[in-house]
Each structure stands twice: as structure tokens, then as C-alpha cells.
Amino acid sequence: VTLTETDKDILERNGVIAPIFVSPAAVNTKKIPYKAWNGKMLFIGGYGHLPNKEGIDWFISRVMENLDKSVPLQIVGAGWPLSYERENDNVKLLGFVERLEDIAPGSIMIVPILTGSGMRMKILEAAAMNIPFVTTSVGVEGLDFKNEESCLVADTPEDFAKALKRLFIDEDLREFIAHNASALWERKYSVKALSEVRDDIYTNIMERNSMSVM
């Protein structure tokens, strides 16, 4: 059982012949109505996960120089060294947050992931909370969120900054992106939707086992 179709394709290309099922993980995040932008960017992820550190280092060193210095970046997650805050005036470390719904809604999420595989749970959290987000092709890999429809996708520092600037100034675009992402999350990635997927997988496996016994 893999998290994404991308992971399934990789296994099949590498010779796995056993049946492979796709069952995305769910986030038990409360759905929250869209809120107007609060003037902040948000990143969610711990320092101990290398793709998070790599992505934030890239964002701070390559993207933020192209953005309005008055727009702060809040980083939620454990382990981030205080140097990130001391050396960057518009970076604020919030540490571990028990209830994301208390601080995340109204922000613009960044998902500047450059390497890795699997699912970006932070994207599902953003979608559930009606938060528009900008990500990379790697960040959204394996998920059904589409550029210009349910998110903005950019892979160079310049394009990532341009995508954020569009969201900074366009309330209609922010709401459009957030609404579409939230609808997709509820349809395909909510706990209810993914419970049904997992139930179908178990039923399929049980039927295969019953046939093999016969």
C-alpha cells in the first residue's frame, strides 16, 4: 500500500509484481471557513526533517530577497535554531503549536520543498483550513492539487516570489485558490473520503485471499 500514485508507479517501474494499492494518509484537521489575509506567510514543519530545512534555507536565501520586507514568515514546528530569527528580521519562530487552527487561518502557506517523496501533509492541512498556498512541483507531487486552480506552483526563486506577490495583492485569487483546494481536500483527502478508500482496499484484499483459498 503506497501513499500516492507516484510511489506506486515507481515501484511498478522497479519490478514489483505484487498488487499495489494507493491509500493516501489523512490529516485530522478541522475544516475552517476562508479568512481574509492577515498579512503573514506561514510554513509548517519541523527542523529535523531535512527537506524542511533545505526548503526554508532556499526560501530565505533566494526568495525572500524578492519580496516585500514587511511581510513576515512564521515558522511552525519544533527544533528550529534561534539563528533563523536573529539573522532574519521578518522570520518568526513559533515552535510547536498544539492547535494550528488558532494561528494558521488567514495566512498564505509556503511549501518550498525541493527534494523528497511521499505526501506533504502540510498541503492537506492548508487545504482543510482554506489557506491558499504556493508550492514547488516536488511539494505537490503525488497530490491532485493543480497550478492556477487549487494552488500556485513555482520552481525557481523568481517564480516563487512572483506567485506570492500575486496572492499578496489579489484577494479574489486567494479566495479562489483556497476554496478549490478545500473542496478537493473534502472530496479526496478528508478522513471520511480516505476511510472509504481504505475500506475498499481491505475488501479487495479479503476477496483475493478468499479466491486463493478456494
Side-chain angles (χ1 to χ4, degrees):
V1 178
T2 66
L3 287 174
T4 70
E5 288 286 348
T6 301
D7 293 338
K8 176 183 177 182
D9 292 343
I10 291 173
L11 290 176
E12 289 177 339
R13 288 199 302 269
N14 282 276
V16 175
I17 58 174
I20 302 174
F21 302 93
V22 178
S23 178
V27 292
N28 193 24
T29 302
K30 180 181 178 182
K31 184 171 181 179
I32 296 175
Y34 174 79
K35 292 186 178 180
W37 187 40
N38 60 16
K40 300 173 183 177
M41 296 179 290
L42 179 71
F43 177 84
I44 298 175
Y47 179 77
H49 185 49
L50 182 59
N52 288 338
K53 177 186 183 303
E54 179 185 50
I56 283 297
D57 287 347
W58 175 81
F59 183 79
I60 290 176
S61 64
R62 304 286 304 281
V63 179
M64 287 187 76
E65 64 184 8
N66 298 307
L67 297 176
D68 186 339
K69 297 296 190 295
S70 67
V71 180
L73 169 63
Q74 296 184 319
I75 299 179
V76 171
W80 291 92
L82 293 177
S83 57
Y84 279 86
E85 195 171 85
R86 288 197 303 263
E87 297 170 7
N88 302 278
D89 293 337
N90 51 342
V91 172
K92 179 67 174 177
L93 302 178
L94 301 184
F96 174 76
V97 173
E98 184 72 34
R99 288 166 44 91
L100 284 176
E101 59 264 33
D102 290 340
I103 59 98
S107 60
I108 293 174
M109 181 89 78
I110 63 164
V111 189
I113 300 300
L114 308 178
T115 60
S117 61
M119 288 179 64
R120 311 300 172 187
M121 307 306 288
K122 54 179 66 67
I123 285 181
L124 300 186
E125 288 170 326
M129 292 185 285
N130 264 282
I131 299 172
F133 64 92
V134 180
T135 184
T136 59
S137 298
V138 173
V140 79
E141 187 175 72
L143 295 168
D144 285 346
F145 298 93
K146 304 299 183 185
N147 185 36
E148 300 287 345
E149 183 177 308
S150 47
C151 65
L152 296 181
V153 179
D155 292 318
T156 68
E158 296 76 17
D159 288 344
F160 208 99
K162 287 178 182 177
L164 282 169
K165 288 177 182 177
R166 289 177 61 195
L167 291 177
F168 290 172
I169 65 175
D170 193 335
E171 170 69 15
D172 289 339
L173 178 61
R174 292 195 297 267
E175 189 167 5
F176 174 79
I177 291 289
H179 174 78
N180 287 343
S182 180
L184 178 62
W185 168 80
E186 189 159 27
R187 188 170 67 252
K188 295 203 64 174
Y189 299 109
S190 64
V191 171
K192 179 179 182 297
L194 295 181
S195 295
E196 293 172 356
V197 170
R198 188 63 63 92
D199 185 62
D200 288 343
I201 290 173
Y202 292 153
T203 300
N204 189 303
I205 292 173
M206 291 172 63
E207 290 175 349
R208 285 171 178 267
N209 288 340
S210 298
M211 293 177 65
S212 65
V213 170
M214 295 173 61

